[in-house]
Amino acid sequence: MTHRENICHVLMRLYDRGLIGPAEGNVSVKTESGAILATPRAIDKARLCPEDIVELAADGTKPANIANRHSASSEIGLHLRLYAERAQCAAVVHAHPIVATAFATSGKTIPDDVLPESRYYLGPVAFVPFAIPGTPGVGDAIAPFAKDHKAFLLENHGAVTIGATLDDAYLRMETLERVARILFIAEACGGANKLSSEAMIWLRSVSGGEEL
């Protein structure tokens, strides 16, 4: 599967699982050559084909020899900032998962000491202060957290996950929402119990720390 095909595949999975709406969210991949492949602006994400994916140079400019059908997502600056801040990052997924975004709109993050998969796949989830979507302020807001986190809640906005591959970044987004759902239900059941210190020590030893 090519990068373009995989972007379309991941977008369909995000849509099918309710992690984005038709006109929401954006995905990008940094290719082996350093080019950036990204979702286009204001087009139904569930109906994209590989030819709709936008190709940009590493600095976000449009290469003269590439004929793009569309303009890149208005959030492309967020993606470029994450690539600049985290050298290992080769994929970014920005979505609006319902329960995780509810945490973000409530000023809360998602703890990594309740469920093993949260610590293993996500690590500490950063809570990023609000910035106007589609502006450079979003990149500025997330930059201080980029080197030490793999998952981010954007205050009153949504969520972002990164990975060394697009599959990694997607997995983290789906895990983020599943963990958020479980924690929400646990609160209704009287509150979630935290993992023991011994379990956390073991999970830290096998999770790879903050490596992507």
Side-chain angles (χ1 to χ4, degrees):
M1 187 182 298
T2 67
H3 287 309
R4 290 172 178 267
E5 290 169 340
N6 200 26
I7 289 173
C8 294
H9 175 67
V10 163
L11 286 167
M12 182 58 72
R13 292 181 73 181
L14 289 167
Y15 179 77
D16 284 346
R17 285 158 175 75
L19 301 174
I20 59 172
E24 299 175 0
N26 33 83
V27 169
S28 71
V29 170
K30 181 170 66 175
T31 69
E32 294 78 3
S33 67
I36 306 297
L37 298 175
T39 46
R41 179 179 306 189
I43 296 179
D44 187 342
K45 301 303 188 299
R47 301 181 66 181
L48 291 181
C49 64
E51 292 74 23
D52 291 320
I53 304 304
V54 179
E55 181 172 343
L56 303 173
D59 62 359
T61 59
K62 294 182 179 180
N65 62 331
I66 299 296
N68 288 311
R69 288 183 177 182
H70 311 288
S71 297
S73 164
S74 61
E75 297 284 15
I76 190 62
L78 164 65
H79 296 245
L80 296 174
R81 188 64 178 269
L82 285 166
Y83 292 131
E85 296 287 341
R86 192 80 179 262
Q88 293 176 310
C89 177
V92 177
V93 172
H94 170 41
H96 297 159
I98 293 173
V99 180
T101 301
F103 273 76
T105 60
S106 302
K108 300 175 182 177
T109 189
I110 294 174
D112 68 341
D113 59 355
V114 174
L115 295 168
E117 57 267 39
S118 182
R119 175 60 223 181
Y120 188 84
Y121 292 115
L122 303 175
V125 178
F127 183 81
V128 180
F130 180 76
I132 301 296
T135 70
V138 182
D140 292 340
I142 206 170
F145 305 97
K147 287 185 173 62
D148 298 317
H149 297 82
K150 310 167 193 176
F152 313 82
L153 290 183
L154 308 182
E155 185 178 13
N156 290 80
H157 186 172
V160 174
T161 52
I162 60 176
T165 69
L166 181 53
D167 290 341
D168 289 341
Y170 169 78
L171 180 151
R172 289 190 175 113
M173 183 59 71
E174 185 166 330
T175 299
L176 180 69
E177 176 65 357
R178 286 179 61 81
V179 169
R181 287 175 181 269
I182 292 168
L183 290 172
F184 180 79
I185 295 170
E187 286 304 308
C189 296
N193 294 322
K194 292 185 178 182
L195 294 166
S196 67
S197 57
E198 291 82 4
M200 289 300 294
I201 290 170
W202 181 80
L203 284 165
R204 291 190 185 101
S205 73
V206 299
S207 65
E210 303 309 328
E211 296 297 317
L212 287 178

